[in-house]
Amino acid sequence: MAEKFLLPDSTGWDSFTDWMTDLSWIDNPCFCIIIKDYTDFLKKDTESKEIVMEIFKEDILPFWEKGVTQTVVEGKPRSFKVYLVK
């Protein structure tokens, strides 16, 4: 994801979360992530798979839904969708 989102620095889960709740360099009103072959996604690292999904559910999605208005000056919610495809 660091590569796909062109994250400047992703040295751990905290920096991944920080960058995914920034994305100021992407000028789109919405984000859509499609994880193809979700069953195989991080199949050999189930702990990381659980962490990624938890970060999306508890940090990234709520941030873009309304948290951005509370933490960013003139922050505006953006649509952020994650699709898991078998």
Side-chain angles (χ1 to χ4, degrees):
M1 287 192 217
E3 181 181 317
K4 297 291 182 187
F5 276 91
L6 306 172
L7 303 182
D9 169 30
S10 188
T11 56
W13 296 119
D14 289 337
S15 68
F16 171 73
T17 304
D18 287 347
W19 287 115
M20 292 300 288
T21 55
D22 179 347
L23 300 177
S24 58
W25 60 95
I26 299 175
D27 188 26
N28 276 331
C30 61
F31 302 105
C32 178
I33 295 176
I34 300 170
I35 299 176
K36 294 180 182 179
D37 299 320
Y38 179 71
T39 306
D40 291 332
F41 174 66
L42 294 172
K43 186 175 186 174
K44 295 182 181 182
D45 189 355
T46 56
E47 182 180 352
S48 290
K49 183 176 187 173
E50 289 175 17
I51 291 170
V52 167
M53 299 318 297
E54 182 179 321
I55 289 171
F56 274 116
K57 182 180 177 182
E58 296 185 13
D59 297 309
I60 298 170
L61 297 175
F63 176 82
W64 288 111
E65 185 177 315
K66 66 179 178 179
V68 66
T69 62
Q70 300 163 353
T71 58
V72 177
V73 175
E74 297 183 27
K76 295 179 181 152
R78 295 197 213 182
S79 175
F80 200 116
K81 307 285 185 195
V82 178
Y83 296 96
L84 309 176
V85 180
K86 287 186 176 188

